[in-house]
């Protein structure tokens, strides 16, 4: 026995490999509060042995990062949407209303997150002053959204204001009117159906009433279908080693961090097609042409 080969990874990532000459190893740089699957195989001068039965370990929780952003809007002359004073908000919610405030007085609001490990750092602080005129506002924060080809996407435009604001949606600065793939809902959200590359880009919801306007912007990135991998096959006496490379992507597509999985389909000359799912960039061996064995 020379040492050990250790494979580990999460459900969202490909396997990572480390070797050790000892019967223990310390992994660093792992994700917080994540499940890791781990398995070990010994190796010697004669090659590697079979891998152990996998075990699952969970890294510990840590205090959360601060919320990425916060937005405070006027609901009435005595209320603001935001976190209640010195109170906890249901973790399934991202909005709250602060009531019984004094009109004309400035209020400062911030948000922190908590886990079993403690309270995290606060968000940036936002100030607002309740007033008699309730200007149109959009509570949605927007941001960048990645979505696959042919899927559907709902863009939210949660509005406040007195009188209630009118809303208009724009795609790449063009007003969205009648379009077979766009559906305007009663809550001012926009449903996009059967998305393709032509529907990528910036989407803006503009809300406006007598006293002012506000808007939210989304950047929609449509992820392309992967190109066909390049295959290499090496025949042996009773098996075939099949290897492939990750499909080529342009620099702009690589930046979207698209996760790719693979499906390996094979058959004997006169037999039925068989399909096996395989992890990323892992060579596979068709042993005795009756199944697939990961060579790891």
């Amino acid at each position: 026995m020379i040492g050990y080969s250790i494979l580990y990874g999460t459900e969202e990532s490909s396997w990572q490999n480390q070797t050790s000459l000892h019967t223990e190893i310390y992994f660093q740089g792992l994700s917080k509060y994540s499940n890791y699957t781990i398995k070990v195989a010994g190796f010697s001068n004669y090659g590697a042995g079979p891998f152990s039965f996998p075990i699952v370990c969970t890294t510990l929780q840590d205090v959360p990062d601060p919320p990425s952003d916060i937005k405070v809007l006027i609901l009435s002359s005595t209320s603001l949407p935001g976190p209640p004073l010195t109170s906890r908000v249901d973790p399934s919610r991202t909005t709250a209303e602060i009531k019984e405030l004094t009109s004309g007085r400035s209020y400062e609001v911030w948000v922190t997150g908590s886990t079993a490990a403690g309270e995290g750092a606060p968000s940036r602080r936002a100030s607002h002053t309740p007033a008699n005129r309730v200007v149109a506002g959009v509570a949605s924060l927007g941001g960048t959204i990645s979505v696959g080809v042919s899927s559907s996407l709902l863009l939210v435009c949660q509005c406040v204001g007195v009188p209630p604001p009118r809303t208009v949606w724009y795609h790449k600065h063009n007003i969205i009117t009648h379009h077979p793939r766009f559906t305007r809902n009663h809550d001012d959200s926009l449903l996009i159906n059967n998305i393709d590359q032509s529907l990528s880009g910036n989407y803006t919801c503009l809300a406006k009433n007598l006293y002012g306007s506000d808007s939210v912007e989304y950047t929609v990135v449509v992820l392309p279908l992967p190109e066909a991998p390049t295959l290499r096959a090496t025949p042996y006496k009773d098996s075939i080693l099949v290897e492939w490379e990750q499909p080529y992507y342009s620099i702009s597509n690589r930046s979207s961090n698209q996760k790719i999985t693979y499906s390996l389909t094979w058959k004997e000359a006169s037999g039925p097609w068989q399909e096996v799912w395989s992890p990323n960039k892992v060579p596979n061996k068709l042993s005795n042409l009756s199944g697939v064995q990961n060579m790891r």
Side-chain angles (χ1 to χ4, degrees):
M1 177 73 72
I2 296 177
Y4 300 91
S5 176
I6 304 98
L7 289 177
Y8 65 99
T10 66
E11 291 184 357
E12 293 77 24
S13 66
S14 57
W15 288 102
Q16 300 183 61
N17 189 6
Q18 289 197 25
T19 58
S20 174
L21 301 180
H22 308 285
T23 56
E24 62 180 27
I25 190 170
Y26 182 61
F27 297 121
Q28 294 180 307
L30 303 182
S31 300
K32 304 172 185 177
Y33 202 47
S34 300
N35 291 329
Y36 280 85
T37 301
I38 305 170
K39 53 185 178 179
V40 181
F43 62 88
S44 66
N45 291 329
Y46 299 100
F51 277 95
S52 65
F53 187 81
I55 63 171
V56 178
C57 298
T58 304
T59 53
L60 298 177
Q61 292 190 57
D62 195 1
V63 295
D65 294 329
S68 59
D69 201 3
I70 181 176
K71 194 169 188 178
V72 179
L73 302 171
I74 301 296
L75 289 179
S76 70
S77 60
T78 59
S79 64
L80 297 170
L85 299 176
T86 65
S87 298
R88 294 189 178 275
V89 180
D90 186 329
S92 64
R93 299 181 57 192
T94 56
T95 62
E97 182 179 351
I98 306 173
K99 298 181 178 180
E100 299 179 357
L101 305 180
T102 302
S103 179
R105 177 178 294 180
S106 180
Y107 291 86
E108 192 173 62
V109 182
W110 66 91
V111 180
T112 62
S114 299
T115 65
E119 184 176 8
S123 67
R124 69 174 182 87
R125 300 190 175 209
S127 299
H128 228 312
T129 303
N132 292 325
R133 292 185 174 183
V134 183
V135 179
V138 181
S140 308
L141 293 174
T144 300
I145 301 175
S146 298
V147 63
V149 172
S150 301
S151 58
S152 298
L153 176 64
L154 182 68
L155 301 180
V156 178
C157 185
Q158 184 180 359
C159 300
V160 299
V162 179
R166 293 179 177 271
T167 58
V168 179
W169 275 96
Y170 296 85
H171 177 218
K172 298 179 180 178
H173 307 294
N174 297 314
I175 295 179
I176 296 175
T177 53
H178 299 290
H179 192 288
R181 298 192 192 176
F182 293 140
T183 302
R184 285 284 308 272
N185 298 316
H186 294 298
D187 61 357
D188 297 313
S189 62
L190 178 69
L191 177 63
I192 312 173
N193 295 299
N194 195 21
I195 291 178
D196 59 22
Q197 293 292 342
S198 68
L199 300 182
S200 63
N202 293 335
Y203 287 81
T204 302
C205 177
L206 174 66
K208 187 175 183 180
N209 69 1
L210 294 175
Y211 305 119
S213 62
D214 192 15
S215 64
V216 61
E217 183 173 293
Y218 296 90
T219 300
V220 175
V221 178
V222 180
L223 302 176
L225 296 175
E227 300 174 2
T230 302
L231 293 179
R232 295 190 301 273
T234 305
Y236 292 91
K237 180 180 178 180
D238 60 354
S239 62
I240 299 174
L241 175 65
V242 180
E243 299 173 283
W244 57 88
E245 297 293 337
Q246 183 173 352
Y248 171 78
Y249 281 91
S250 66
I251 298 299
S252 61
N253 288 335
R254 287 178 184 175
S255 64
S256 64
N257 295 322
Q258 183 177 7
K259 179 184 177 182
I260 302 176
T261 58
Y262 299 96
S263 176
L264 176 63
T265 306
W266 65 279
K267 77 179 186 71
E268 296 185 46
S270 58
W273 285 100
Q274 301 183 52
E275 186 175 273
V276 176
W277 291 96
S278 175
N280 288 359
K281 299 177 68 176
V282 175
N284 287 274
K285 185 177 183 181
L286 305 186
S287 301
N288 299 319
L289 299 181
S290 61
V292 174
Q293 173 187 350
N294 287 340
M295 296 185 62
R296 297 191 293 182

